[in-house]
Amino acid sequence: MLKRIVYGVSGAVIVGLGLFSFYAWNSSIDPIAPPVNADYPPQVIEQGKILAAAGYCSTCHTTPGGEAYAGNYEMHTEFGTIYSSNITPDVETGIGGWSEAAFNRAMRTGVSRDGHHLLPAFPFEHFNKMSDDDISAIYAYIMTSIPAVNQVKKENGIPFPLNIRWLQAGWKLLFADTQSFEINENKSDQWNRGAYLAEGVAHCGACHTPRNALGGEKYDQMYQGAAIDGWIAPSLTSTSTSPIPWRAQDFYEYLTTGNSPYHGSAAGPMAPVMHKGLSALPKSDVEAISYYFADHSDAKESDDPAANSNLQTAIAAQHIQTDLRIDEGARLYATACQACHYSSDELVKGRPLLTLGSATHLDQPTNLVNVILDGVRNDQGISGVVMPGFRDALSDQDISAIAAYLRQAAGKSAWPELQQKVSEIRNQPRFEQ
Ligand code: HEC
Ligand code: HEC
Ligand code: HEC
């Protein structure tokens, strides 16, 4: 009897697995003979170039200093190391033999030309929100304008059983958002344009939306902040811990200049997003994105930060005299930081007020510690403006003392196990781009 149940159950499992693998199976799309006929009008190719920039294809598909789009950019995820694919038009190792249909299927469903499933580190769920015309333009641009590079993709370092490609079908079934972009009739054209870009090609949620244990985006917590590549992508909604709410004009200033005086600078993974990505878009598109996010953050354009008591408190906090003989953090801050982050009663662009900035107000010290360790390069934050890194000059203890001091000056509760965290952040793989 027991045996029979066991047979019955395992029979069901086998049938289930069989059905699932049938579901998980995708056909191979026949290769085409290159070169792709360059019949695309120049405007389409130009549009593709802009969209490829706005989708940061090169950020993920190019190793630092390596050849454009040739892949093997290393991504460290909690599931292991993932290497991006070669998407140059090389026939042997890239996508030179891909038809537009194969490219469209990969961008929409995360299935490679030969039918194997791709990992969601490739943000296909977002690219699926793009129109066919926009995906086609990117294809036209890559196939006609990117030099073919022969470079084999490295094996991903994902352990068994997560490395079984067809299991990705289960992941997609459970977590992937397969809806195409829908216009929200209750919102303006500008809002919808912003939503189309943010949810689609610019995939802001891939970093700013928290993920579940298996890496699926939690759509009910869209844009509420998440850890990514050793940084925190802060909440962009009304749950933001920023003392000054983000208005459309603040988003716009941050996304076009790399800094908002009320919030801070775009360093780490956010730097290429704005410098290499959004900077390619027409200003009206960045305005639309800003307008869309202002709706999520609930701030009104008419809200005057100058009238916000949090601003006055943060400015006043700089003037509080700490006994430098006993507060090590205050003393280190005065010697290492204050020459640039000087006390002033006005906000000065390019001199972030640290008692006000997001880095000090987040629930995690991660971004503050990253910036103290590695600074802000001239191609990050405000263009041409640099903050030096202190990786070699300050110990974990020094950095945690400064961070604790700033946190206290900002009137926030202490970060727990700070020195331990500083040490972990120092030793994590550094974000390079
Ligand atoms: C966040 C990083 C990231 C971004 C941004 C990104 N990709 Fe990728 N892409 C990947 C990774 C990683 C893979 C390989 C996934 C795997 O091994 O399963 C990949 C795979 C692909 C593939 C499949 C190639 C093949 O041989 O199967 C295509 C096509 C592709 N990407 C196109 C693009 C385009 C076009 C853009 C820009 C619009 C883009 N990607 C942006 C990370 C990214
Ligand atoms: C590759 C991951 C990634 C993507 C994609 C991304 N962000 Fe970010 N974002 C970050 C990180 C990390 C930070 C923190 C940067 C810092 O503090 O220097 C950040 C910071 C921000 C901030 C500042 C928040 C604050 O409170 O200080 C804004 C605003 C922002 N991002 C908007 C966007 C928008 C809009 C998009 C899409 C167009 C986007 N981000 C796409 C990773 C990303
Ligand atoms: C030589 C001048 C200089 C020194 C010294 C300096 N900073 Fe900065 N810091 C800057 C500048 C300039 C920026 C803005 C950079 C940009 O946007 O390009 C900045 C930005 C920042 C930011 C904002 C980053 C973000 O992601 O929002 C933080 C936090 C910060 N500094 C902390 C510190 C701390 C802590 C120290 C001392 C350990 C320090 N800085 C020392 C010049 C300096």
Side-chain angles (χ1 to χ4, degrees):
M1 179 64 189
L2 184 67
K3 233 182 191 170
R4 199 183 270 170
I5 292 174
V6 172
Y7 282 139
V9 170
S10 32
V13 169
I14 289 166
V15 171
L17 276 177
L19 284 176
F20 179 72
S21 55
F22 180 70
Y23 164 80
W25 183 82
N26 286 285
S27 62
S28 160
I29 297 182
D30 286 342
I32 51 161
V36 167
N37 194 337
D39 272 349
Y40 295 100
Q43 327 66 290
V44 169
I45 294 175
E46 183 54 28
Q47 176 66 1
K49 182 180 181 183
I50 292 171
L51 290 166
Y56 336 117
C57 317
S58 78
T59 309
C60 280
H61 283 277
T62 311
T63 53
E67 294 192 81
Y69 290 74
N72 283 342
Y73 174 71
E74 204 172 298
M75 295 176 74
H76 304 276
T77 74
E78 37 190 316
F79 310 106
T81 309
I82 300 174
Y83 296 95
S84 62
S85 316
N86 178 343
I87 56 166
T88 70
D90 181 57
V91 179
E92 196 196 353
T93 61
I95 61 168
W98 286 38
S99 62
E100 197 178 317
F103 184 79
N104 186 290
R105 180 177 74 171
M107 293 289 277
R108 293 205 177 284
T109 65
V111 172
S112 189
R113 186 195 62 75
D114 67 5
H116 80 261
H117 285 278
L118 297 161
L119 298 168
F122 165 44
F124 61 84
E125 287 176 84
H126 291 277
F127 296 151
N128 183 40
K129 306 271 180 208
M130 294 165 81
S131 67
D132 281 330
D133 282 352
D134 281 354
I135 293 180
S136 171
I138 296 179
Y139 177 79
Y141 166 66
I142 292 178
M143 294 310 230
T144 59
S145 314
I146 301 290
V149 177
N150 191 281
Q151 175 169 286
V152 177
K153 179 187 188 300
K154 291 186 191 163
E155 281 293 322
N156 291 336
I158 307 265
F160 181 83
L162 294 174
N163 61 350
I164 304 175
R165 290 273 184 185
W166 57 266
L167 282 180
Q168 279 306 314
W171 188 94
K172 288 176 185 174
L173 192 62
L174 291 172
F175 305 124
D177 171 8
T178 53
Q179 297 282 312
S180 47
F181 180 74
E182 272 172 42
I183 298 276
N184 185 334
E185 302 289 352
N186 300 319
K187 304 283 187 185
S188 65
D189 288 350
Q190 193 184 26
W191 189 98
N192 277 296
R193 177 69 185 158
Y196 172 75
L197 293 164
E199 291 173 25
V201 68
H203 59 273
C204 313
C207 293
H208 286 274
T209 299
R211 292 175 186 264
N212 63 30
L214 285 170
E217 282 179 40
K218 297 181 183 167
Y219 299 111
D220 57 339
Q221 296 173 32
M222 207 161 150
Y223 305 130
Q224 291 187 13
I228 178 84
D229 287 341
W231 286 71
I232 303 290
S235 169
L236 303 177
T237 70
S238 55
T239 67
S240 165
T241 50
S242 169
I244 308 285
W246 284 85
R247 301 164 303 166
Q249 57 265 55
D250 302 320
F251 282 121
Y252 183 78
E253 182 173 13
Y254 182 94
L255 297 173
T256 50
T257 68
N259 171 274
S260 153
Y262 299 114
H263 306 95
S265 293
M270 190 58 201
V273 167
M274 56 98 17
H275 282 296
K276 296 187 188 161
L278 304 182
S279 62
L281 291 171
K283 294 275 174 269
S284 58
D285 277 347
V286 184
E287 268 165 17
I289 292 174
S290 305
Y291 181 75
Y292 165 74
F293 278 105
D295 191 31
H296 287 81
S297 81
D298 280 350
K300 309 273 167 300
E301 277 179 48
S302 55
D303 286 347
D304 181 7
N308 190 317
S309 64
N310 288 341
L311 177 64
Q312 306 313 325
T313 311
I315 288 177
Q318 312 169 94
H319 300 308
I320 297 170
Q321 285 300 318
T322 323
D323 188 336
L324 299 184
R325 284 165 311 173
I326 49 173
D327 190 330
E328 194 199 351
R331 189 171 60 231
L332 284 164
Y333 178 77
T335 40
C337 321
Q338 215 162 22
C340 298
H341 296 278
Y342 48 73
S343 311
S344 163
D345 287 336
E346 272 163 39
L347 291 185
V348 184
K349 177 110 175 162
R351 294 277 173 250
L353 173 54
L354 302 184
T355 46
L356 189 66
S358 307
T360 316
H361 284 269
L362 287 169
D363 293 338
Q364 299 281 336
T366 320
N367 293 1
L368 179 60
V369 173
N370 274 321
V371 169
I372 300 178
L373 284 167
D374 296 322
V376 183
R377 295 195 316 243
N378 65 359
D379 61 343
Q380 300 175 322
I382 306 167
S383 284
V385 173
V386 174
M387 147 152 176
F390 294 86
R391 186 174 279 271
D392 301 323
L394 296 174
S395 68
D396 293 351
Q397 197 182 350
D398 296 340
I399 292 176
S400 78
I402 294 172
Y405 160 71
L406 283 172
R407 183 78 177 163
Q408 189 193 28
K412 302 286 276 201
S413 59
W415 281 311
E417 292 158 38
L418 184 53
Q419 193 173 323
Q420 170 69 28
K421 291 232 178 79
V422 173
S423 147
E424 282 165 22
I425 296 166
R426 186 191 286 277
N427 294 316
Q428 76 192 1
R430 278 159 86 170
F431 175 81
E432 282 183 78
Q433 259 299 332

